Amino acid sequence: MSEKITFSVSKREGLGKGANRQLRVAGKVPGIFYSTTGENIPVQMDEMPLVKLYENAGLTNVIALDIDGEVKECLIWKLERHPFKNRLQHVDFYGVDAEKELRIKIPVRVTGTSKGVKLGGRLEEYRQVITVSAKPTDIPNEVVVDVTDYDIHTSLKISEIELPENVSAYYDDDFKVLAVVPGRGSAKAAAEDEE
Amino acid sequence: MLQPRKTKFRKQQTGRLRGKATRGNTIAFGDIGLKALEHGKISNQQIESARIAMIRHIRRGGKVWIRIFPDHVKTSKPLEVRQGKGKGAPCGWYAPVKPGRILYEIKGVDIELAKEALKRASYKLPIKTTIVVKEGL
């Protein structure tokens, strides 16, 4: 994202279950800002602007958080929702250091119809998110994988994913992200061929 | 139909359903799901009936997950029997559901088709439900 979004919040005085419940009744959302120095600031904000902020910035774009006039750079780290009402319960802002790399989960989006699927195979997506390591401003919103050339028995491992510059995938084992496997129809056809 | 393979005891105390679903309340596997808005006991027949309604509408492709399991036994006394003389005989299975619980999830089909399939499934269930879509879709 080219321009940093600025979002205003105010410091929260009341702490704990009772105070936060009263805030939610008043249409506000309690939250917390975790700073890089270990100093955590409880904050509060209106719900609708927060919903709009999340729509625009998501979890991967750095925002400028204005806490009663003091501007800090951060990411939306976690949004807690009500189990069945369409309401936000709590938000975590994670203060970032522009020079320091951090690990974050980003979604994998698959595009195109693979060659193998057209031949009767099945595309299996084993991972919908992957963990990457990057500086806050370099974090991509998503990883796009084009599967058009994928034939049956073709798979994509995490080490083979093409990522932007200054972004690296974080993993222990080199696991498969997706694969095109033979479908029921193609297995039957193969058996008939053998006969 | 779904039911436990074996149980430690034949009958259970009924218990009460209170509170909200604190687990199983987010979409975990699919792209779209059906969420409970009320407390209720969903029998294994209802779970199966809703599943069939869903997959018949989808016809082919896609994958369906059932996120609840009927692991509670239901008992009933025979007709025209006086009260007392012990608890009734086991007669079925149900899944206790709290509001917020995801009941079914679908992946791999067009989102409008999946919505219609979940709507049809909801008609087979004894509780109010809503359709929820995974964030980012």
Side-chain angles (χ1 to χ4, degrees):
Chain A
M1 189 173 273
S2 56
E3 272 185 37
K4 227 173 270 177
I5 301 172
T6 308
F7 186 65
S8 300
V9 295
S10 51
K11 278 186 183 165
R12 174 160 56 97
E13 298 299 327
L15 301 174
K17 197 159 58 177
N20 285 340
R21 280 181 180 166
Q22 283 173 4
L23 267 184
R24 289 183 193 117
V25 168
K28 293 190 182 293
V29 181
I32 191 149
F33 170 79
Y34 295 111
S35 75
T36 47
T37 53
E39 165 214 7
N40 304 326
I41 309 168
V43 292
Q44 64 184 49
M45 67 228 77
D46 287 328
E47 188 173 0
M48 276 318 289
L50 178 64
V51 172
K52 294 228 165 95
L53 172 77
Y54 179 62
E55 279 172 10
N56 294 329
L59 300 174
T60 51
N61 289 308
V62 177
I63 57 170
L65 193 70
D66 185 348
I67 308 171
D68 291 339
E70 199 181 344
V71 179
K72 292 172 186 291
E73 287 190 344
C74 66
L75 291 167
I76 300 176
W77 201 246
K78 194 178 173 189
L79 273 177
E80 196 182 313
R81 291 178 187 280
H82 190 276
F84 58 94
K85 291 177 189 166
N86 193 17
R87 291 204 62 182
L88 293 173
Q89 297 270 76
H90 191 269
V91 58
D92 288 356
F93 294 106
Y94 186 75
V96 291
D97 184 350
E99 296 306 313
K100 206 172 169 186
E101 283 198 350
L102 57 91
R103 280 182 218 145
I104 191 165
K105 284 181 178 170
I106 56 169
V108 179
R109 186 163 63 86
V110 177
T111 57
T113 309
S114 82
K115 212 190 289 175
V117 171
K118 282 178 189 166
L119 292 170
R122 200 171 68 243
L123 178 72
E124 289 195 344
E125 293 170 41
Y126 304 121
R127 302 287 175 120
Q128 292 171 349
V129 289
I130 58 166
T131 306
V132 295
S133 178
K135 285 182 181 168
T137 46
D138 296 333
I139 299 169
N141 292 335
E142 59 185 9
V143 177
V144 182
V145 179
D146 186 8
V147 292
T148 315
D149 298 331
Y150 282 49
D151 208 339
I152 294 176
H153 298 298
T154 313
S155 62
L156 178 73
K157 288 188 171 179
I158 178 104
S159 57
E160 296 161 0
I161 288 184
E162 285 177 23
L163 291 166
E165 256 183 71
N166 306 326
V167 180
S168 58
Y170 177 79
Y171 54 91
D172 288 332
D173 299 321
D174 193 9
F175 55 82
K176 281 182 188 173
V177 176
L178 55 89
V180 181
V181 296
R184 283 181 199 162
S186 55
K188 202 185 279 180
E192 281 170 9
D193 288 345
E194 280 174 17
E195 283 170 13
Chain B
M1 277 186 291
L2 292 173
Q3 72 174 73
R5 192 167 291 134
K6 70 169 192 175
T7 54
K8 195 166 183 182
F9 301 105
R10 285 178 63 227
K11 298 172 189 174
Q12 298 164 354
Q13 293 194 337
T14 312
R16 293 285 177 273
L17 285 167
R18 291 175 183 172
K20 296 168 279 204
T22 53
R23 302 174 69 185
N25 58 14
T26 53
I27 291 183
F29 305 104
D31 295 333
I32 184 167
L34 194 67
K35 181 176 261 202
L37 295 178
E38 288 178 336
H39 294 97
K41 294 174 178 177
I42 303 183
S43 70
N44 53 353
Q45 285 105 326
Q46 287 161 343
I47 294 171
E48 181 64 8
S49 170
R51 187 191 68 85
I52 290 171
M54 210 159 31
I55 58 167
R56 284 198 179 149
H57 186 71
I58 295 170
R59 280 169 181 244
R60 56 183 306 204
K63 186 167 166 62
V64 173
W65 284 266
I66 304 172
R67 294 283 307 275
I68 49 173
F69 188 82
D71 55 359
H72 281 58
V73 71
K74 192 167 67 179
T75 59
S76 71
K77 282 173 168 288
L79 289 176
E80 298 180 353
V81 168
R82 289 176 189 271
Q83 291 302 306
K85 309 292 179 206
K87 196 171 168 74
C91 66
W93 298 90
Y94 69 89
V97 166
K98 292 180 180 181
R101 179 81 192 191
I102 299 285
L103 308 172
Y104 295 95
E105 288 182 28
I106 301 180
K107 190 182 171 77
V109 293
D110 178 55
I111 209 89
E112 291 304 318
L113 183 73
K115 274 184 185 171
E116 182 59 30
L118 289 170
K119 193 176 159 192
R120 283 168 190 244
S122 73
Y123 294 148
K124 304 286 181 187
L125 300 174
I127 54 170
K128 278 186 189 171
T129 55
T130 186
I131 293 167
V132 284
V133 180
K134 192 175 182 178
E135 278 178 36
L137 285 176

